[in-house]
Amino acid sequence: MAERVVVTGVGIVSALGAGVDATFLSLRNGESGVGEIEHLDTGHDEFPVGEVAMSNREMALSLGVGYPSDGLRTVLLGIMAAREAVASAGLTVCDVRKSAFVSGTTVGGMDNTERHFAEAFDSGAESGSSQELVYNDCGCSTRLIAEATGDFLMMTTTSTACSSAANAIILGANMIKAGIVDIAVVGGSEALTRFHLNGFNTLMILDRERCRPFDRDRTGINLGEGAAYIVLESERSAKSRGSDVLAALTGYANSCDAFHQTASSENGEGAYLAMCKAMDMAGLTPGDIDYVNAHGTGTPNNDATELAAMRRIWKDSLPCFSSTKAFTGHTTSASGSIEAVICVLSLIHDFMPENIGWVNPMGEGAVPVTGAAAGRRVRNVINNSFGFGGNDSTLIFSK
């Protein structure tokens, strides 16, 4: 039987603030971080976003890092969250040297590429601007985050759109179960870029108001940015280090329905399979799930199909569910790990974040958490992350 995988550290930065404490305070108080664009250089200021309230310079100074990291927002966000996770778990230099680092991103260093591409295109391969394009690579962001955090045994990158960070968590857990490492720092980082904003605008799924996941009148997403990492550890390693165990990663699964490049099938087949397989791994029944942190982007397609998948499992007795994307914006590749940290906080504090912005039900009985549900015992939570192409991942965290 494979050894149980536990969570011993967490780190996070998003529009809700920098760090676990600031994040929980904002969630508990129902305070969204979504607002007007401040740091992204774009002409599309009509779209609200979930930006981290620090400039690149401010982050670089606080982290004590210089070139090239100081010009790569994905890297800066990642360093901030990864360092908090490592400190939270009490990992020593020796512990890190035996650990894996797995990070999910799709945008990578695109913000830096946007600053240099025009000059590089005009001046050729030998220009200084052309040399800057090397930092566009997603793996380069992973390497820079890892090197600024510790001397890891190994590192790798997952890039599966909005399920990237969730798949990084799955990969790290599988590495621990396979005996490759005892500890893995896993998650993802994603900065807002023009490429990113313009792309979703082209798909016509950006909301000009604050997004309203699972509301009858929802019209689209608010993009966000941020990073989060969790420290996964074999139970044996956690005991030998005397670590505080925050939660257990009891189940997970990835499915790919390949229904469409960006849309999901009407019956939510990929989401349904991911949730069912994750519950099977965890040895849980649908009735054992106390809370679902839904992917819940606020688009007409996603919310309808995710709800359809949930109804296939729970019928008319849906568990408590909510989307936290109206708090953070949709942080795309980092969303799986940002919401994983929120799920761990849910277990620690017996707390379910409210689905802010929701007013009108999509259908009978489809009412998400509408007030911060504290005081209810939360034992097992599902965290859903669904990517383009139907790459759907579900994580289950348990007390």
Side-chain angles (χ1 to χ4, degrees):
M1 182 177 177
E3 188 169 9
R4 195 163 75 137
V5 176
V6 297
V7 179
T8 56
V10 290
I12 185 170
V13 57
S14 73
L16 293 179
V20 171
D21 292 342
T23 300
F24 179 64
L25 183 64
S26 294
L27 290 169
R28 189 184 63 187
N29 293 339
E31 297 172 350
S32 173
V34 173
E36 294 182 359
I37 293 173
E38 182 179 351
H39 298 294
L40 179 63
D41 181 16
T42 176
H44 285 297
D45 58 3
E46 69 271 28
F47 297 117
V49 297
E51 278 188 311
V52 172
M54 286 178 278
S55 68
N56 285 10
R57 177 174 172 76
E58 288 170 330
M59 284 191 282
L61 287 172
S62 69
L63 295 168
V65 298
Y67 180 83
S69 295
D70 60 355
L72 299 163
R73 196 165 176 87
T74 293
V75 172
L76 292 167
L77 296 169
I79 295 170
M80 190 175 299
R83 284 182 178 177
E84 184 186 24
V86 167
S88 168
L91 297 182
T92 66
V93 171
C94 291
D95 292 330
V96 171
R97 285 177 180 157
K98 297 181 288 185
S99 303
F101 183 77
V102 188
S103 186
T105 188
T106 304
V107 166
M110 180 60 73
D111 56 336
N112 190 61
T113 297
E114 290 171 347
R115 288 192 294 270
H116 294 280
F117 183 79
E119 183 180 338
F121 184 83
D122 291 337
S123 56
E126 300 306 315
S127 72
S129 288
S130 295
Q131 303 308 309
E132 290 289 331
L133 302 188
V134 69
Y135 300 116
N136 186 79
D137 185 81
C138 293
C140 185
S141 292
T142 296
R143 177 177 61 80
L144 291 170
I145 295 167
E147 289 176 350
T149 304
D151 183 16
F152 287 92
L153 174 68
M154 58 190 299
M155 67 186 80
T156 193
T157 306
T158 54
S159 189
T160 54
C162 301
S163 58
S164 297
N167 287 333
I169 292 170
I170 290 173
L171 179 55
N174 284 336
M175 291 169 71
I176 290 170
K177 288 183 177 182
I180 297 170
V181 291
D182 285 325
I183 302 170
V185 180
V186 292
S189 181
E190 196 96 300
L192 279 168
T193 66
R194 295 198 300 272
F195 171 82
H196 201 172
L197 188 69
N198 295 348
F200 279 91
N201 188 30
T202 300
L203 292 172
M204 297 184 290
I205 55 173
L206 293 179
D207 197 333
R208 292 171 186 257
E209 309 278 334
R210 188 173 290 167
C211 68
R212 292 147 284 169
F214 297 108
D215 188 272
R216 180 194 65 197
D217 301 321
R218 68 199 183 281
T219 60
I221 71 175
N222 304 141
L223 281 174
E225 64 180 0
Y229 294 91
I230 64 176
V231 177
L232 295 180
E233 195 163 354
S234 69
E235 193 167 27
R236 172 179 48 80
S237 174
K239 286 180 179 178
S240 70
R241 290 199 315 113
S243 306
D244 290 332
V245 173
L246 306 178
L249 177 61
T250 51
Y252 49 84
N254 171 265
S255 67
C256 190
D257 62 15
F259 172 75
H260 185 269
Q261 286 178 316
T262 58
S264 47
S265 59
E266 288 187 7
N267 67 352
E269 182 69 9
Y272 169 79
L273 290 172
M275 286 188 279
C276 288
K277 290 178 179 179
M279 284 189 285
D280 286 345
M281 177 187 282
L284 298 173
T285 68
D288 294 322
I289 303 300
D290 300 301
Y291 169 63
V292 176
N293 185 284
H295 188 56
T297 60
T299 63
N301 175 255
N302 175 91
D303 295 6
T305 59
E306 188 169 10
L307 190 57
M310 290 170 64
R311 286 200 186 280
R312 289 175 66 183
I313 297 170
W314 285 280
K315 313 302 180 190
D316 292 328
S317 300
L318 294 175
C320 293
F321 71 96
S322 68
S323 168
T324 48
K325 287 182 171 65
F327 280 101
T328 63
H330 186 359
T331 56
T332 54
S333 293
S335 61
S337 56
I338 285 175
E339 289 156 24
V341 171
I342 291 172
C343 285
V344 172
L345 291 173
S346 178
L347 290 163
I348 292 171
H349 297 285
D350 285 317
F351 167 84
M352 300 179 198
E354 64 183 299
N355 199 109
I356 57 175
W358 182 90
V359 177
N360 301 301
M362 291 169 53
E364 187 176 347
V367 179
V369 176
T370 54
R376 299 185 192 178
R377 183 154 174 80
V378 183
R379 301 159 300 165
N380 303 294
V381 301
I382 276 179
N383 175 18
N384 283 334
S385 298
F386 306 146
F388 283 160
N391 192 294
D392 300 332
S393 293
T394 293
L395 310 172
I396 297 179
F397 294 97
S398 304
K399 272 198 190 299

